Amino acid sequence: ARSVGFTLLFLLVTEAVTGVALMTTYAPTIEAAWSSVHYTSYIAPHGWLLRGIHRFGGEAMLVLACTHVAMLAMGGAHRRPRELGYLAALFAVAVVLAACISGGLLPWDQQGYWARRVELAIAAMGPGGSRITRLVQGGDELGQLGLTRMYAVHAIVLPLVCAFLFRLRRRSEWTFAEKISARHNTGYEAYFPRQIARDIALAVSVALLVGWMTNKVHGAPLDAPADSG
């Protein structure tokens, strides 16, 4: 579980760096979003690489976050006194999933647009779903206001929430580790050098996988411009 948590932190930093870089060429309007992403993917130097790493890095985060929660549950992390850290990890899965969903709309292409339309239609069928859908879309249809809100949530709100949850999770685990260390009279030698070697090995393996996927499709896919008609 430690190595997975370390790799999630590595991916979080990678997503933040590549996300900031992508923001420099992205235009969050329904008229210019697709063309700005097209420019990044096919014209800007190494733009395809940045976008591919950001896309597949986010998907890798989602898989690892789910794996992390499963490993914590099997290890009894949901029991006292570690339940706060477990809840933080559980909510982090929802945050990463929301980031993947909101990010899929930003290119404003056919695939991303209609996928969000279907998801919002399904959400509208649940209790209070119509209000949530209107809040996300900013009206009856998914348009400029919906794109602006998705962009704000994806680029600002969700990264801050994710960082807070990670901090909460780490604080909970460090408090628990300090208690175990004091009880068994152990120290930081339990982390160095074997654990850090495992952490780095997993992070490098995931980075190579993300890089391989990015190179395989030469970035992230981009469909035709969205047609809301």
Side-chain angles (χ1 to χ4, degrees):
R2 278 187 178 183
S3 298
V4 176
F6 177 87
T7 306
L8 282 171
L9 176 60
F10 167 73
L11 288 174
L12 179 62
V13 173
T14 301
E15 290 296 286
V17 172
T18 55
V20 170
L22 290 171
M23 287 171 64
T24 61
T25 58
Y26 181 70
T29 66
I30 59 175
E31 294 83 8
W34 184 88
S35 59
S36 66
V37 174
H38 183 273
Y39 171 82
T40 300
S41 300
Y42 301 106
I43 301 176
H46 308 297
W48 66 271
L49 182 62
L50 282 173
R51 186 165 172 257
I53 290 175
H54 192 77
R55 162 72 178 274
F56 294 114
E59 293 178 354
M61 275 194 72
L62 181 58
V63 173
L64 284 178
C66 294
T67 303
H68 190 51
V69 169
M71 293 176 68
L72 290 174
M74 289 187 293
H78 56 287
R79 304 189 182 96
R80 292 175 63 88
R82 303 169 65 191
E83 72 276 9
L84 183 61
Y86 177 77
L87 288 175
L90 193 62
F91 281 115
V93 173
V95 171
V96 175
L97 177 60
C100 291
I101 292 174
S102 58
L105 179 68
L106 301 187
W108 203 253
D109 61 351
Q110 288 281 65
Q111 182 179 5
Y113 175 81
W114 288 106
R116 303 298 84 79
R117 284 286 300 270
V118 171
E119 291 162 358
L120 289 169
I122 295 174
M125 294 186 290
S130 59
R131 294 183 179 180
I132 296 174
T133 301
R134 285 183 60 86
L135 178 64
V136 173
Q137 294 183 161
D140 296 328
E141 297 292 336
L142 183 58
Q144 178 58 60
L145 189 54
L147 177 62
T148 301
R149 291 182 178 182
M150 285 281 196
Y151 178 62
V153 167
H154 183 81
I156 301 174
V157 178
L158 293 178
L160 291 176
V161 173
C162 193
F164 169 76
L165 290 173
F166 181 83
R167 174 62 178 171
L168 186 63
R169 160 96 185 122
R170 294 298 295 173
R171 185 172 183 178
S172 173
E173 285 300 304
W174 275 114
T175 301
F176 178 75
E178 287 172 358
K179 292 180 180 179
I180 296 298
S181 178
R183 183 182 303 173
H184 297 284
N185 193 28
T186 59
Y188 288 104
E189 65 271 14
Y191 185 74
F192 295 96
R194 293 184 179 180
Q195 184 59 48
I196 193 172
R198 288 193 288 264
D199 292 352
I200 294 175
L202 181 59
V204 170
S205 299
V206 172
L208 290 174
L209 178 60
V210 170
W212 178 77
M213 289 295 298
T214 300
N215 183 69
K216 181 180 179 181
V217 298
H218 198 72
L222 181 64
D223 207 350
D227 180 10
S228 57

